[in-house]
Amino acid sequence: VAILVMPHTILLVQVGHDDANRIWADCDSVQEACDAVLKMYEEYLKKTYPQVANIQYSVDDLFGYLDEFGDVSCLVLDPSDNKYVPHDKEWVKGRIFNTLKKSAV
């Protein structure tokens, strides 16, 4: 039986373009980092539209939100050499898209 090791991931977010607005999340996997981004967006929607009980959004809406950030990136641990590999915003968007696609099935 093969054991799938989920690589440790650090999510880095720069809200806006001000260097003072940087946050990070320590995640057990890329999936958990994607979930953190989705939760961040959904919390933003709840605060922006408090009167709407069931908020729906498209991938384009989510990606537009992410594009407003100065940066969104991930450092993903490569267990073969125990080093973190950086990934940019487009890579993160691709992983989030795959996450949403899987959940829609």
Side-chain angles (χ1 to χ4, degrees), residues 4-102:
L4 178 62
V5 177
M6 299 301 291
H8 182 257
T9 302
I10 300 170
L11 172 65
L12 305 168
V13 178
Q14 181 176 336
V15 181
H17 296 280
D18 183 0
D19 288 348
N21 293 323
R22 294 179 178 167
I23 58 174
W24 62 277
D26 186 10
C27 305
D28 290 331
S29 66
V30 172
Q31 179 64 52
E32 187 178 314
C34 290
D35 291 343
V37 172
L38 291 169
K39 182 177 180 180
M40 191 175 8
Y41 181 55
E42 290 169 359
E43 289 299 320
Y44 162 78
L45 290 175
K46 287 178 187 176
K47 288 178 184 174
T48 305
Y49 305 103
Q51 71 284 4
V52 179
N54 187 16
I55 299 174
Q56 296 181 0
Y57 59 89
S58 71
V59 173
D60 289 337
D61 296 334
L62 172 62
F63 288 175
Y65 171 76
L66 293 178
D67 287 339
E68 293 177 14
F69 289 168
D71 189 28
V72 178
S73 55
C74 284
L75 299 173
V76 180
L77 181 64
D78 179 352
S80 67
D81 63 3
N82 210 31
K83 294 181 183 175
Y84 284 89
V85 178
H87 297 284
D88 66 5
K89 187 186 297 185
E90 294 306 312
W91 183 89
V92 173
K93 286 180 179 180
R95 295 308 171 279
I96 291 171
F97 180 78
N98 289 340
T99 295
L100 293 172
K101 192 165 69 170
K102 287 178 189 174

